[in-house]
Every structure is written in structure tokens, then in C-alpha cells.
Amino acid sequence: MLYNVFVYGTLRDADTLYRLLRRNPPMRPARVNDYRKFIDDASGYPMAVHEKGAFIDGALLQGIGNRDLSALDNYEGVHKGLYKRITVPVLVVGSKTPVEAQMYVKGGGEL
């Protein structure tokens, strides 16, 4: 199965993606509504939390397989609770129809 992944921080960097995935997947400018991005004081990383009326501009990675998703989960510290991965509707710039994507949001774990 292939997934879309919405990214808004360090995963937008082509070098970082290549290091993690050994390729640079297609990336399109996109927006997620009802989430707010902030820099977490404890970790220094960009994170997202649900906030009605807010939005995050980022990018949609396309064609992400299960192995890629595992690499991204590991990078984001999902197993430590730093982030959690959820499914959200994403609007690609120039489109009026949202697509389903995975997104990393603030988890409840400690560093």
C-alpha cells in the first residue's frame, strides 16, 4: 500500500528525506486545516497540535510505502511517544478536493 504524508518541518528537507528513504518522493505544496505548528520548548522540534481555525502550510509526500513509513516513524520518535501519526485531510495547492494523508503531531512521551 502507498500513502501520502503531510510534512511541515525537518521532513521537508530533500537531504533529510534522501538520507532516510534513499530517494526523494514526489512533494507538492499543501495545507492542513485545524492544526497549529509550534516549536516545542523541550525538544526544539516543530510540532503540530489540533486547533480549530488554524492551519499549517507544508508539503505532501506521495508514494510512501510501508518501509518508508517505518523509517519516518523511527525518525520522528513515534515509538518513544515524541510524535504520533494520524490521518488528516490535506489540500494540495491548486486543488479544492482534499486527499487523505498521514501526519505527525505532538505525542505524549518524553525525550
Side-chain angles (χ1 to χ4, degrees):
M1 178 168 197
L2 295 178
Y3 299 90
N4 294 315
V5 178
F6 178 78
V7 295
Y8 55 87
T10 58
L11 289 176
R12 293 179 75 178
D13 178 69
D15 291 337
T16 299
L17 281 174
Y18 190 83
R19 185 172 43 83
L20 293 170
L21 307 179
R22 298 291 177 231
R23 67 186 184 92
N24 286 108
M27 185 184 302
R28 300 178 64 194
R31 173 177 282 184
V32 167
N33 290 317
D34 296 327
Y35 282 85
R36 175 179 57 87
K37 176 178 141 178
F38 69 100
I39 302 299
D40 182 68
D41 289 336
S43 68
Y45 298 133
M47 294 192 171
V49 292
H50 187 264
E51 184 176 297
K52 191 80 172 154
F55 64 88
I56 301 173
D57 287 327
L60 186 70
L61 303 179
Q62 298 175 298
I64 302 298
N66 287 325
R67 186 175 299 171
D68 297 332
L69 211 50
S70 289
L72 297 177
D73 283 355
N74 188 52
Y75 175 78
E76 294 288 18
V78 170
H79 63 286
K80 296 177 187 174
L82 184 60
Y83 289 87
K84 62 183 177 180
R85 182 167 38 90
I86 63 170
T87 303
V88 294
V90 176
L91 281 171
V92 174
V93 170
S95 175
K96 294 183 180 181
T97 305
V99 297
E100 186 175 275
Q102 303 296 298
M103 176 179 162
Y104 294 96
V105 298
K106 181 174 173 55
E110 299 296 323
L111 287 179

